[in-house]
């Protein structure tokens, strides 16, 4: 099995290991990887740059789709020949418990299914918010996560507004059908100021978080969806706390791993539920994946990460192909 390994800051190799040929577990499915997708946030900062000193070497990976070639005797809902999504690593072979996979419908392109992981990130907020459909939702940061946030929340009945200083990202959102898009949070616009119910801060920028706290209505909510990997501005804690206090803001972490992966007796908001809902939206055409990603061979992983980091990659997302399909 070939896999992507980070061996130092900005240093990536394709390594390999020998897989055992023994029988898979009774509840496992396994097969060769078709595509994986690079997370321009978590993987660039966590693995490529190691900003939190997690250390090397380490595998990378965030979301994967694979062709099911082996099925355990106790598996339900999968058969050989299916395409499956999982939160897999960048590697040429996947083997997972069948409940950790989602079947990709025939009418959904395998590479498009990768985006349900990006949709799950802002969907975690649905388990916390008291803001109901019909209210206004502001999304700041229109990368893959922010764009999926706009798609999901608009489909659930919220009025969605998008903000990103990058004109090209706003153009991608416009091509996806969204009209209310702004370069910065429209604090001085009477249509929005103190009328936003929920703000999803997907950029990880503390200045954007402050603006979100200013624009939401009294008792509005701000969910910090984007990881604050590094200091991005000179915002003072006083300014943030002042906005929270006087505007009665409910400010909280929107980290997806506050959810369990599977339901239990007292926990029903899960990754599993969100993945299923996002996949249904893809299959029904409610979420449309446009021409905003690049497919590159997995052997070009070093240059793919370099291009994302150096802002040479103009597309919103980069997908790695493990079987040669769709490469550019």
């Amino acid at each position: 099995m070939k896999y992507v390994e980070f061996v130092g800051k900005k240093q990536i190799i394709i390594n390999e290991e020998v897989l055992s040929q023994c029988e898979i577990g009774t509840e496992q499915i396994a097969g060769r990887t078709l595509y994986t997708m690079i997370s321009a946030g978590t993987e660039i900062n966590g693995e490529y740059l190691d900003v939190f000193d997690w250390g090397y070497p380490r595998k990378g990976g965030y979301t994967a789709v694979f062709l099911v070639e082996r099925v355990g005797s106790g598996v339900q809902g999968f058969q050989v020949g299916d395409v499956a999504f999982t939160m897999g690593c960048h590697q040429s072979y996947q083997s997972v418990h069948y409940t950790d996979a989602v079947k990709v419908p025939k009418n959904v392109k395998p590479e498009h299914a990768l985006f349900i992981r990006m949709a799950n990130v802002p969907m975690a907020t649905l388990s916390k918010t008291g803001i109901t459909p019909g209210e206004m939702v502001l999304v700041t940061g229109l990368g893959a996560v922010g764009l999926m946030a706009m798609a999901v929340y608009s489909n659930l009945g919220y009025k969605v507004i998008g903000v990103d200083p990058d004109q090209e990202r706003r153009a991608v959102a416009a091509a996806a059908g969204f009209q209310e898009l702004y370069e910065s949070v429209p604090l001085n616009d009477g249509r929005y100021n103190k009328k936003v119910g929920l703000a999803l801060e997907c950029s990880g920028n503390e200045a954007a978080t402050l603006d979100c706290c200013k624009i939401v209505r009294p008792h509005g909510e701000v969910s910090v969806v984007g990881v604050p990997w590094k200091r991005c501005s000179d915002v003072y804690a006083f300014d943030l706390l002042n906005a929270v206090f006087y505007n009665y803001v409910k400010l909280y972490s929107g980290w997806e791993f506050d959810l369990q992966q599977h339901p239990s007796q007292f926990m029903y908001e899960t990754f599993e539920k969100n993945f299923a809902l996002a996949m249904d939206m893809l299959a029904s055409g409610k979420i449309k994946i446009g021409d905003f990603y690049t497919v590159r061979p997995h052997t070009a992983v070093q240059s793919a990460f370099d291009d994302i980091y150096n802002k040479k990659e103009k597309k919103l997302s980069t997908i790695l192909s493990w079987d040669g399909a769709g490469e550019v």
Side-chain angles (χ1 to χ4, degrees):
M1 180 182 72
K2 297 183 184 300
Y3 63 93
V4 170
E5 186 173 43
F6 295 84
V7 294
K9 290 188 177 183
K10 303 181 184 179
Q11 297 177 8
I12 308 171
I13 64 171
I14 300 293
N15 210 336
E16 60 181 38
E17 62 186 43
V18 177
L19 294 177
S20 170
Q21 292 301 309
C22 65
E23 288 297 318
I24 62 173
T26 58
E27 297 187 342
Q28 283 186 298
I29 59 175
R32 60 185 173 88
T33 305
L34 300 176
Y35 299 100
T36 60
M37 183 160 62
I38 295 172
S39 166
T42 297
E43 289 190 277
I44 288 290
N45 290 284
E47 280 79 29
Y48 182 79
L49 298 176
D50 194 26
V51 297
F52 290 155
D53 296 318
W54 290 338
Y56 297 108
R58 58 187 295 118
K59 279 188 175 182
Y62 201 78
T63 175
V65 288
F66 65 100
L67 181 67
V68 177
E69 297 174 321
R70 304 175 73 189
V71 177
S73 60
V75 168
Q76 300 176 29
F78 288 95
Q79 60 185 9
V80 172
D82 287 339
V83 175
F85 157 89
T86 191
M87 294 194 298
C89 292
H90 297 298
Q91 57 192 39
S92 61
Y93 197 80
Q94 307 288 334
S95 180
V96 300
H97 193 279
Y98 77 94
T99 60
D100 292 334
V102 180
K103 184 187 292 187
V104 179
K106 299 293 186 183
N107 67 329
V108 174
K109 292 183 178 180
E111 59 270 36
H112 289 183
L114 295 167
F115 286 91
I116 71 169
R117 174 68 198 279
M118 302 307 181
N120 179 65
V121 178
M123 289 175 78
T125 298
L126 292 169
S127 68
K128 302 177 182 181
T129 185
I131 307 302
T132 56
E135 286 219 50
M136 200 177 298
V137 170
L138 174 73
V139 179
T140 53
L142 303 182
V145 169
L147 188 61
M148 290 300 102
M150 294 191 74
V152 169
Y153 281 75
S154 63
N155 276 303
L156 293 176
Y158 294 91
K159 179 182 179 182
V160 180
I161 306 152
V163 172
D164 198 295
D166 189 303
Q167 189 277 331
E168 292 182 356
R169 286 187 170 187
R170 296 198 304 277
V172 168
F178 299 104
Q179 298 178 345
E180 296 183 74
L181 301 164
Y182 299 92
E183 181 177 357
S184 59
V185 176
L187 291 168
N188 298 319
D189 193 321
R191 294 172 298 171
Y192 308 119
N193 193 35
K194 299 298 187 287
K195 294 178 182 177
V196 172
L198 170 66
L200 300 169
E201 205 305 284
C202 299
S203 71
N205 187 304
E206 63 271 28
T209 302
L210 174 59
D211 286 345
C212 287
C213 289
K214 289 180 177 179
I215 200 171
V216 295
R217 64 165 173 75
H219 298 291
E221 301 179 14
V222 178
S223 177
V224 181
V225 176
V227 180
W229 292 101
K230 59 184 177 181
R231 182 176 177 179
C232 298
S233 70
D234 292 327
V235 168
Y236 286 96
F238 168 80
D239 298 323
L240 180 64
L241 295 175
N242 185 273
V244 169
F245 185 86
Y246 285 106
N247 207 27
Y248 309 99
V249 178
K250 183 179 180 181
L251 173 65
Y252 52 83
S253 169
W255 196 22
E256 64 177 329
F257 280 100
D258 188 37
L259 301 184
Q260 295 180 173
Q261 191 160 352
H262 304 292
S264 60
Q265 184 178 4
F266 301 108
M267 176 63 73
Y268 304 99
E269 301 301 326
T270 62
F271 280 37
E272 183 178 308
K273 177 184 176 182
N274 291 345
F275 287 151
L277 178 57
M279 190 69 84
D280 284 345
M281 288 183 177
L282 269 180
S284 64
K286 292 179 179 179
I287 293 180
K288 293 180 172 61
I289 306 301
D291 182 30
F292 53 74
Y293 63 87
T294 297
V295 180
R296 303 181 68 170
H298 69 275
T299 51
V301 64
Q302 178 73 64
S303 61
F305 271 86
D306 291 342
D307 288 350
I308 294 170
Y309 174 69
N310 293 313
K311 302 189 183 304
K312 293 182 179 180
E313 176 54 64
K314 300 304 181 183
K315 297 290 188 177
L316 205 62
S317 298
T318 299
I319 292 173
L320 300 178
S321 171
W322 291 83
D323 68 350
E327 294 173 2
V328 297

